């Protein structure tokens, strides 16, 4: 701890340094009192504290204090232990912590002659209410989603996991933002080595600001030379609780409703909370449907380009005339058509995503119907390619958490199919499978429990067994990169 960062004992120097540090900021609130000749300084920011709480529990007691405090140290302890009340009360000894606490909605109280500040939790800033997350809707289950407040998000998890082993750690990251970042895990389930490793990785993320979990995700789950990540994101507290019970670690960033989960396996992108509230046979059907949609959206455009360019003998006779006729009648090659249409689709999708809803819907109609019909009528692209694009685009949204790697892989396989044909598609598939199997997230293989093979965990992989089997034992992620079994409640260890 640097000596220059220590709080000054004199409130005159404290006030001067605070004012110099804030450079005349308009939302800075400083109040100075004299109690038995001893100076008392309060420090807070307008809009971050509750005016009613500050008036009732801070300013009013200070104004009504009677003489007899004695020395500054006695006055400090009297204010701390008897006079000023708050459910979140602490001590601050450095200027960096002083500004961090004040900018987090705390009211700071300093006594002349005491080199410490008292922090009182009187937060009063506006936050969004708890509502259903738009990106993770379920048929059954809770309608609650995370908000932008870490306090609210922690309470949503604590209400569902009433375990004394649920541990919440707080870190402040970002040289300028000093963002409140919280780590959540079950200390009796999570591997201690994995927790330490994540703590070290995010603590070393030396960035000026941290505004979302996406800032920290590359430090934890980014695989080398891969499009896939070993860290997932969720906006649902019930999903996070299920992951914590398996030994995962959740990371919350104040100001973001997206909570990061690590480690996160590849097959978990095809699972949802509805899988465990629906009948096993239907949950199995939905999972297989998502897997089929993933392979369809990644490989179908490239495979179509490959067969119409190099392997027309693979096209059924009933479709041969329409497929090859559309390629011959258009000015561009099959690869050119696919690239142009997918670039146009991504352009329309991005524009519709950023624009207001009313304009975005209009743009979708104009782009999807008017432009699509016009380019086919003009003979710029063939109708089979339009069908391929539409089917591929719909399939991509079945697994929204993988949309980013899906988009890039789709373009790569179009290039490979247009240059090397079907043989290139199969070669690309093998390289993709090898890359996935080689990836690890916090010493856990991304393709677990397929590679390495763990037969006991297959009961909840491609298909889901009934709760009669699932309840017999709990499975958790371990640091040994395997899925280990631990006794469930009611079993002997």
């Amino acid at each position: 701890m640097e000596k220059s960062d220590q709080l000054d004992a004199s409130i005159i120097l404290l006030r001067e340094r605070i004012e110099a540090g804030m450079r005349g900021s308009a939302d800075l609130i400083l109040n100075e009192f004299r109690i038995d000749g001893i100076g008392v300084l309060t420090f807070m920011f307008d809009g971050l504290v509750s005016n009613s709480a500050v008036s009732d529990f801070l300013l009013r007691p200070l104004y009504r204090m009677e003489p007899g405090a004695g020395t500054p140290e006695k006055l400090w302890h009297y204010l701390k232990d008897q006079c000023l009340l708050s459910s979140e009360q602490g001590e601050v000894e450095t200027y960096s912590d002083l500004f961090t606490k004040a900018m987090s909605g705390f009211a700071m109280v300093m006594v002349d002659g005491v080199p410490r500040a008292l922090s009182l939790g009187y937060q009063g800033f506006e936050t969004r209410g708890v509502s259903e997350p738009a990106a993770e809707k379920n048929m059954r289950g809770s309608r609650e989603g995370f908000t932008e407040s870490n306090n609210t998000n922690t309470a949503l998890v604590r209400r569902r996991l009433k375990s004394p082993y649920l541990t919440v750690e707080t870190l402040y990251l970002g040289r300028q933002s000093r963002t409140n970042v919280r780590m959540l895990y079950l200390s009796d389930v999570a591997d201690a080595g994995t927790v330490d490793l994540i703590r070290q990785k995010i603590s070393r993320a030396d960035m000026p600001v941290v505004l979302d979990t996406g800032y920290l995700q590359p430090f934890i789950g980014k695989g080398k030379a891969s499009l896939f990540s070993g860290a997932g994101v969720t906006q649902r507290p019930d999903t996070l609780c299920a992951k914590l019970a398996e030994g995962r670690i959740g990371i919350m960033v104040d100001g973001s409703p997206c909570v990061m989960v690590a480690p996160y396996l590849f097959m978990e992108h095809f699972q949802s909370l509805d899988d465990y509230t629906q009948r096993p046979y239907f949950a199995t059907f939905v999972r297989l449907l998502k897997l089929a949609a993933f392979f369809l959206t990644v490989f179908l455009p490239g495979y179509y380009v490959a067969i119409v360019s190099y392997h027309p003998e693979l096209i059924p006779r009933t479709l041969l005339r329409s497929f090859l006729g559309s390629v011959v009648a258009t000015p561009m090659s099959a690869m050119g058509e696919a690239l142009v249409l997918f670039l146009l689709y991504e352009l329309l999708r991005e524009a519709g995503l950023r624009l207001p809803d009313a304009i975005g819907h209009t743009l979708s109609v104009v782009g999807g119907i008017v432009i699509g019909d016009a380019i086919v009528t003009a003979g710029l692209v063939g109708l089979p390619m339009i069908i391929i694009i539409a089917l591929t685009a719909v399939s991509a949204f079945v697994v929204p958490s993988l949309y980013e790697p899906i988009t890039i892989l789709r373009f790569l396989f179009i290039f490979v199919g247009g240059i090397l044909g079907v043989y290139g598609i199969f070669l690309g598939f093998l390289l993709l499978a090898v890359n996935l199997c080689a990836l690890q997230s916090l010493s856990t293989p991304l393709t677990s429990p397929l590679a390495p093979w763990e037969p006991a965990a297959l009961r909840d992989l491609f298909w889901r067994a009934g709760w009669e089997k699932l309840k017999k034992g709990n499975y958790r992620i371990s640091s040994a990169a395997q899925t280990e079994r631990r006794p469930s409640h009611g079993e002997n260890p």
Side-chain angles (χ1 to χ4, degrees):
M1 184 183 299
E2 298 180 3
K3 187 175 180 180
S4 60
D5 196 35
Q6 290 275 6
L7 289 178
D8 293 303
S10 170
I11 63 169
I12 297 177
L13 297 177
L14 276 168
R15 181 162 192 156
E16 290 177 353
R17 187 155 179 179
I18 291 172
E19 290 176 341
M22 295 309 303
R23 295 172 177 81
S25 183
D27 60 344
L28 175 64
I29 301 177
L30 288 172
N31 294 307
E32 193 170 342
F33 305 88
R34 305 295 295 184
I35 302 174
D36 275 2
I38 303 173
V40 177
L41 181 68
T42 63
F43 167 40
M44 67 199 78
F45 287 97
D46 185 25
L48 295 181
V49 295
S50 170
N51 292 333
S52 59
V54 169
S55 299
D56 294 339
F57 302 111
L58 176 60
L59 300 181
R60 184 176 297 170
L62 289 178
Y63 277 118
R64 292 182 177 182
M65 275 196 65
E66 298 180 356
T71 64
E73 195 69 32
K74 289 183 179 180
L75 176 60
W76 159 267
H77 285 289
Y78 176 75
L79 294 177
K80 178 177 178 290
D81 300 330
Q82 300 182 42
C83 181
L84 304 179
L85 304 177
S86 171
S87 59
E88 295 182 79
Q89 190 179 92
E91 296 182 16
V92 170
E93 298 181 354
T94 63
Y95 280 99
S96 58
D97 291 339
L98 177 75
F99 284 101
T100 299
K101 283 287 187 180
M103 294 179 187
S104 299
F106 285 77
M108 315 303 296
V109 181
M110 292 148 283
V111 177
D112 194 10
V114 180
R116 300 186 302 277
L118 179 64
S119 63
L120 303 167
Y122 297 147
Q123 296 92 334
F125 46 83
E126 295 295 329
T127 59
R128 182 172 59 91
V130 177
S131 59
E132 184 177 10
E136 294 183 67
K137 291 187 176 181
N138 281 350
M139 295 292 293
R140 299 174 63 176
S142 171
R143 294 293 183 266
E144 293 180 337
F146 289 122
T147 69
E148 287 73 18
S149 171
N150 269 358
N151 291 336
T152 303
N153 295 342
T154 304
L156 290 173
V157 176
R158 180 74 69 178
R159 187 161 60 88
R160 288 168 171 80
L161 282 180
K162 301 178 179 65
S163 170
Y165 296 103
L166 178 59
T167 305
V168 181
E169 296 184 14
T170 301
L171 303 171
Y172 290 94
L173 303 181
R175 296 189 303 272
Q176 298 174 3
S177 63
R178 301 297 296 166
T179 306
N180 182 296
V181 177
R182 292 184 178 179
M183 288 178 51
L184 292 86
Y185 57 92
L186 287 171
S187 58
D188 64 329
V189 179
D191 180 74
T194 303
V195 174
D196 291 338
L197 182 59
I198 291 181
R199 189 186 299 113
Q200 294 173 10
K201 284 179 176 291
I202 63 177
S203 298
R204 294 172 184 168
D206 187 20
M207 293 181 290
V209 294
V210 176
L211 303 178
D212 189 82
T213 51
Y215 285 62
L216 302 177
Q217 192 167 355
F219 295 92
I220 297 177
K222 180 66 174 69
K224 295 181 179 179
S226 178
L227 299 175
F228 299 95
S229 174
V233 176
T234 182
Q235 296 184 35
R236 298 187 63 91
D238 41 15
T239 300
L240 178 62
C241 291
K243 301 301 181 186
L244 295 180
E246 296 175 351
R248 320 297 176 91
I249 293 90
I251 301 174
M252 295 179 177
V253 174
D254 198 30
S256 172
C258 299
V259 178
M260 185 164 54
V261 180
Y264 200 84
L265 306 181
F266 178 73
M267 287 303 301
E268 291 182 281
H269 293 286
F270 306 95
Q271 302 172 0
S272 68
L273 189 68
D274 271 340
D275 294 351
Y276 304 94
T277 59
Q278 296 170 337
R279 300 290 294 276
Y281 64 85
F282 189 75
T284 301
F285 168 74
V286 172
R287 286 186 184 180
L288 295 177
L289 186 66
K290 290 179 179 179
L291 277 169
F294 171 76
F295 286 104
L296 192 69
T297 189
V298 171
F299 296 105
L300 181 61
Y303 183 75
Y304 172 78
V305 170
I307 62 172
V308 298
S309 300
Y310 298 100
H311 311 280
E313 67 276 6
L314 298 178
I315 304 175
R317 289 188 176 183
T318 55
L319 300 176
L320 185 61
R321 178 177 297 178
S322 59
F323 275 32
L324 296 184
S326 65
V327 175
V328 173
T330 55
M332 293 182 292
S333 64
M335 184 175 72
E337 286 184 41
L339 292 176
V340 169
L341 283 178
F342 272 115
L343 285 174
L344 178 61
Y345 163 73
E346 290 296 330
L347 182 67
L348 292 173
R349 187 194 69 85
E350 189 68 18
L353 182 66
R354 307 302 172 189
L355 288 172
D357 290 342
I359 304 177
H361 294 325
T362 304
L363 181 66
S364 300
V365 173
V366 172
I369 299 178
V370 178
I371 297 179
D373 181 68
I375 59 177
V376 173
T377 305
L380 299 178
V381 297
L383 186 59
M385 183 62 74
I386 293 291
I387 298 174
I388 296 293
I389 299 298
L391 182 60
T392 303
V394 172
S395 300
F397 290 108
V398 176
V399 194
S401 59
L402 288 176
Y403 188 84
E404 295 176 7
I406 280 174
T407 301
I408 303 302
L409 285 173
R410 186 191 297 142
F411 279 105
L412 291 177
F413 277 102
I414 289 174
F415 274 112
V416 171
I419 297 174
L420 301 177
V422 173
Y423 301 105
I425 297 294
F426 281 103
L427 178 62
F429 170 75
L430 292 176
L431 291 176
L432 178 62
V434 170
N435 179 260
L436 271 175
C437 293
L439 292 178
Q440 288 191 354
S441 173
L442 303 171
S443 301
T444 301
L446 216 62
T447 52
S448 296
L450 285 176
W453 179 256
E454 181 61 38
L458 297 180
R459 62 180 186 170
D460 191 19
L461 191 64
F462 297 113
W463 58 87
R464 181 182 79 79
W467 279 110
E468 295 81 2
K469 292 184 179 180
L470 291 179
K471 72 178 183 179
K472 291 182 179 179
N474 296 326
Y475 289 80
R476 65 183 178 91
I477 298 296
S478 72
S479 61
Q482 295 178 352
T483 308
E484 294 184 349
R485 185 181 187 275
R486 67 182 183 91
S488 64
H489 298 291
E491 284 188 306
N492 295 322

